[in-house]
Coordinates of all heavy atoms in Angstrom, one line a residue:
T28 N 147.8 27.1 164.9 CA 149.1 27.8 164.9 C 149.2 28.7 166.0 O 148.3 29.5 166.3 CB 149.3 28.5 163.5 OG1 149.1 27.6 162.5 CG2 150.6 29.2 163.4
H29 N 150.3 28.7 166.7 CA 150.5 29.6 167.9 C 152.0 29.6 168.2 O 152.8 28.8 167.8 CB 149.7 29.2 169.1 CG 149.9 27.8 169.5 ND1 150.8 27.4 170.4 CD2 149.2 26.6 169.2 CE1 150.8 26.1 170.6 NE2 149.8 25.6 169.9
K30 N 152.3 30.6 169.0 CA 153.7 30.8 169.5 C 154.1 29.6 170.4 O 153.3 29.1 171.1 CB 153.8 32.1 170.4 CG 155.3 32.4 170.8 CD 155.4 33.7 171.5 CE 156.8 33.9 171.9 NZ 157.1 35.1 172.6
A31 N 155.3 29.1 170.2 CA 155.8 27.9 170.9 C 156.8 28.3 171.9 O 157.7 29.1 171.7 CB 156.4 27.0 169.9
E32 N 156.7 27.7 173.1 CA 157.7 27.9 174.2 C 158.9 27.0 174.1 O 160.0 27.3 174.5 CB 157.0 27.7 175.6 CG 155.9 28.7 175.9 CD 155.3 28.4 177.2 OE1 155.8 27.6 178.0 OE2 154.1 28.9 177.4
N33 N 158.6 25.8 173.6 CA 159.7 24.7 173.6 C 159.4 23.7 172.5 O 158.4 22.9 172.6 CB 159.6 24.0 175.0 CG 160.7 23.0 175.2 OD1 161.5 22.7 174.3 ND2 160.8 22.5 176.4
V34 N 160.2 23.8 171.4 CA 159.9 22.9 170.3 C 160.9 21.8 170.3 O 162.1 22.0 170.3 CB 160.0 23.8 169.0 CG1 159.8 22.9 167.8 CG2 159.1 24.9 169.0
P35 N 160.4 20.5 170.2 CA 161.3 19.4 170.1 C 162.1 19.4 168.8 O 161.6 19.9 167.8 CB 160.4 18.2 170.1 CG 159.1 18.7 170.6 CD 159.0 20.1 170.3
G36 N 163.3 19.0 168.8 CA 164.2 19.1 167.7 C 164.2 18.0 166.7 O 165.1 17.9 165.8
S37 N 163.2 17.1 166.7 CA 163.2 16.1 165.6 C 163.0 16.8 164.2 O 163.4 16.2 163.2 CB 162.0 15.1 165.9 OG 160.8 15.8 165.9
F38 N 162.4 17.9 164.2 CA 162.3 18.7 162.9 C 162.1 20.1 163.2 O 161.0 20.5 163.7 CB 161.2 18.1 162.1 CG 161.2 18.6 160.7 CD1 162.0 18.1 159.8 CD2 160.3 19.7 160.3 CE1 162.1 18.6 158.5 CE2 160.3 20.2 159.1 CZ 161.2 19.6 158.1
L39 N 163.0 21.0 163.0 CA 162.9 22.4 163.1 C 163.2 23.1 161.8 O 164.1 22.7 161.1 CB 163.9 22.9 164.2 CG 163.8 22.4 165.6 CD1 165.0 22.8 166.4 CD2 162.5 22.9 166.2
V40 N 162.6 24.2 161.6 CA 162.8 25.0 160.4 C 163.1 26.4 160.9 O 162.3 27.0 161.7 CB 161.6 25.0 159.4 CG1 161.9 25.9 158.2 CG2 161.3 23.6 158.9
F41 N 164.2 27.0 160.4 CA 164.5 28.4 160.8 C 164.7 29.3 159.5 O 165.1 28.8 158.5 CB 165.9 28.4 161.5 CG 166.0 27.7 162.7 CD1 166.3 26.3 162.8 CD2 165.7 28.3 163.9 CE1 166.4 25.7 164.0 CE2 165.8 27.6 165.1 CZ 166.2 26.3 165.2
R42 N 164.4 30.5 159.7 CA 164.8 31.5 158.7 C 166.3 31.6 158.9 O 166.8 31.7 160.1 CB 164.2 32.9 159.0 CG 162.7 32.9 158.5 CD 162.2 34.3 158.6 NE 160.9 34.3 158.0 CZ 159.9 35.0 158.6 NH1 160.1 35.8 159.6 NH2 158.7 34.9 158.0
T43 N 167.1 31.7 157.9 CA 168.5 31.8 158.0 C 168.9 33.0 158.8 O 169.8 32.9 159.6 CB 169.2 31.9 156.6 OG1 168.8 30.7 155.8 CG2 170.7 31.9 156.7
S44 N 168.3 34.1 158.6 CA 168.6 35.4 159.3 C 168.4 35.2 160.9 O 169.3 35.7 161.6 CB 167.8 36.5 158.9 OG 166.4 36.3 159.1
I45 N 167.4 34.5 161.3 CA 167.2 34.2 162.7 C 168.2 33.3 163.2 O 168.8 33.5 164.3 CB 165.7 33.7 163.0 CG1 164.7 34.7 162.5 CG2 165.6 33.3 164.4 CD1 164.7 36.0 163.2
F46 N 168.5 32.2 162.5 CA 169.5 31.2 162.9 C 170.8 31.8 163.1 O 171.6 31.6 164.0 CB 169.5 30.0 161.9 CG 170.2 28.8 162.4 CD1 169.7 28.0 163.3 CD2 171.5 28.5 161.9 CE1 170.4 26.9 163.8 CE2 172.2 27.4 162.3 CZ 171.6 26.6 163.3
E47 N 171.2 32.7 162.2 CA 172.5 33.4 162.3 C 172.5 34.4 163.4 O 173.5 34.5 164.2 CB 172.8 34.2 161.0 CG 173.2 33.2 159.8 CD 173.3 33.9 158.5 OE1 172.8 35.1 158.3 OE2 173.8 33.2 157.5
K48 N 171.4 35.1 163.6 CA 171.3 36.1 164.7 C 171.4 35.4 166.1 O 172.1 36.0 167.0 CB 169.9 36.8 164.7 CG 169.8 38.0 165.5 CD 168.4 38.6 165.3 CE 168.6 40.1 165.1 NZ 167.3 40.8 164.8
I49 N 170.9 34.2 166.3 CA 171.0 33.5 167.6 C 172.3 32.7 167.7 O 172.6 32.2 168.8 CB 169.8 32.7 167.9 CG1 169.7 31.5 166.9 CG2 168.5 33.5 167.9 CD1 168.6 30.5 167.2
G50 N 173.0 32.6 166.7 CA 174.3 31.9 166.7 C 174.1 30.4 166.6 O 175.0 29.6 167.0
G51 N 173.0 29.9 166.1 CA 172.8 28.5 165.9 C 172.7 27.7 167.2 O 172.4 28.3 168.3
F52 N 172.9 26.4 167.1 CA 172.8 25.6 168.3 C 174.0 25.7 169.2 O 175.1 26.0 168.7 CB 172.8 24.1 167.9 CG 171.5 23.7 167.3 CD1 171.3 23.7 165.9 CD2 170.4 23.3 168.1 CE1 170.0 23.3 165.4 CE2 169.2 22.9 167.6 CZ 169.0 22.9 166.2
D53 N 173.8 25.6 170.5 CA 174.9 25.7 171.5 C 175.5 24.3 171.7 O 174.8 23.3 172.0 CB 174.3 26.2 172.8 CG 175.4 26.5 173.8 OD1 176.4 25.9 173.8 OD2 175.1 27.4 174.7
E54 N 176.8 24.2 171.4 CA 177.5 22.9 171.5 C 177.6 22.3 172.9 O 178.0 21.1 173.1 CB 178.9 23.0 170.9 CG 178.9 23.3 169.4 CD 178.4 22.2 168.6 OE1 178.6 21.0 168.9 OE2 177.7 22.5 167.6
K55 N 177.2 23.0 173.9 CA 177.3 22.5 175.3 C 176.2 21.5 175.6 O 176.2 20.9 176.7 CB 177.2 23.7 176.3 CG 178.4 24.6 176.3 CD 178.2 25.6 177.4 CE 178.3 26.9 176.7 NZ 177.5 28.0 177.1
Y56 N 175.2 21.4 174.8 CA 174.0 20.6 175.1 C 174.1 19.2 174.3 O 174.7 19.1 173.3 CB 172.7 21.3 174.6 CG 172.5 22.5 175.4 CD1 172.7 23.8 174.9 CD2 172.0 22.4 176.7 CE1 172.4 24.9 175.6 CE2 171.7 23.6 177.5 CZ 171.9 24.8 176.9 OH 171.7 25.9 177.6
F57 N 173.4 18.3 174.9 CA 173.2 17.0 174.4 C 171.7 16.7 174.3 O 171.0 16.7 175.3 CB 173.9 15.9 175.3 CG 173.7 14.5 174.8 CD1 174.4 14.0 173.8 CD2 172.8 13.7 175.5 CE1 174.2 12.7 173.4 CE2 172.6 12.4 175.1 CZ 173.3 11.9 174.1
L58 N 171.3 16.4 173.1 CA 169.9 16.1 172.9 C 168.9 17.1 173.4 O 169.0 18.3 173.2 CB 169.6 14.7 173.3 CG 170.2 13.6 172.5 CD1 169.9 12.2 173.1 CD2 169.6 13.6 171.1
Y59 N 167.9 16.7 174.2 CA 166.7 17.4 174.5 C 166.9 18.9 174.9 O 166.1 19.7 174.5 CB 165.9 16.7 175.6 CG 165.6 15.2 175.2 CD1 166.3 14.2 175.8 CD2 164.8 14.9 174.2 CE1 166.1 12.9 175.5 CE2 164.5 13.6 173.8 CZ 165.2 12.6 174.4 OH 165.0 11.3 174.1
M60 N 167.8 19.2 175.7 CA 167.9 20.5 176.3 C 168.4 21.5 175.2 O 168.2 22.7 175.3 CB 168.8 20.6 177.5 CG 168.4 19.7 178.6 SD 166.6 19.8 179.0 CE 166.5 21.4 179.8
E61 N 169.1 21.0 174.2 CA 169.5 21.9 173.1 C 168.2 22.5 172.4 O 168.2 23.6 171.9 CB 170.4 21.3 172.1 CG 169.8 20.2 171.2 CD 170.8 19.5 170.3 OE1 172.0 20.0 170.2 OE2 170.4 18.5 169.7
D62 N 167.2 21.7 172.3 CA 165.9 22.1 171.7 C 165.3 23.2 172.6 O 164.8 24.2 172.0 CB 164.9 21.0 171.6 CG 165.5 19.7 171.0 OD1 166.5 19.8 170.2 OD2 164.9 18.6 171.2
C63 N 165.3 23.0 173.9 CA 164.8 24.0 174.8 C 165.5 25.3 174.7 O 165.0 26.4 174.6 CB 164.8 23.5 176.2 SG 164.0 22.0 176.6
D64 N 166.8 25.2 174.6 CA 167.7 26.4 174.5 C 167.5 27.2 173.3 O 167.3 28.4 173.3 CB 169.2 25.9 174.7 CG 170.1 27.1 174.5 OD1 170.2 27.9 175.5 OD2 170.8 27.2 173.5
I65 N 167.5 26.5 172.1 CA 167.4 27.2 170.9 C 166.0 27.8 170.7 O 165.9 28.9 170.2 CB 167.7 26.3 169.6 CG1 168.1 27.2 168.5 CG2 166.6 25.3 169.3 CD1 169.0 26.6 167.4

């Protein structure tokens, strides 16, 4: 287990408070780069 720099989006789990704080996924992205961004 360790801090992750870039997690692929095939399966992500978020605390609701963190997901709300960051504003969720950015709609400007398509596939892979949205994972990098989030």
Side-chain angles (χ1 to χ4, degrees):
T28 301
H29 55 89
K30 186 174 178 179
E32 294 177 19
N33 185 352
V34 180
S37 59
F38 191 80
L39 298 170
V40 176
F41 295 91
R42 286 190 176 139
T43 302
S44 60
I45 298 298
F46 194 72
E47 289 171 347
K48 192 177 230 179
I49 64 172
F52 285 96
D53 189 329
E54 296 292 324
K55 290 182 241 144
Y56 295 103
F57 174 78
L58 288 176
Y59 307 107
M60 301 315 288
E61 71 184 349
D62 309 340
C63 303
D64 179 70
I65 203 157

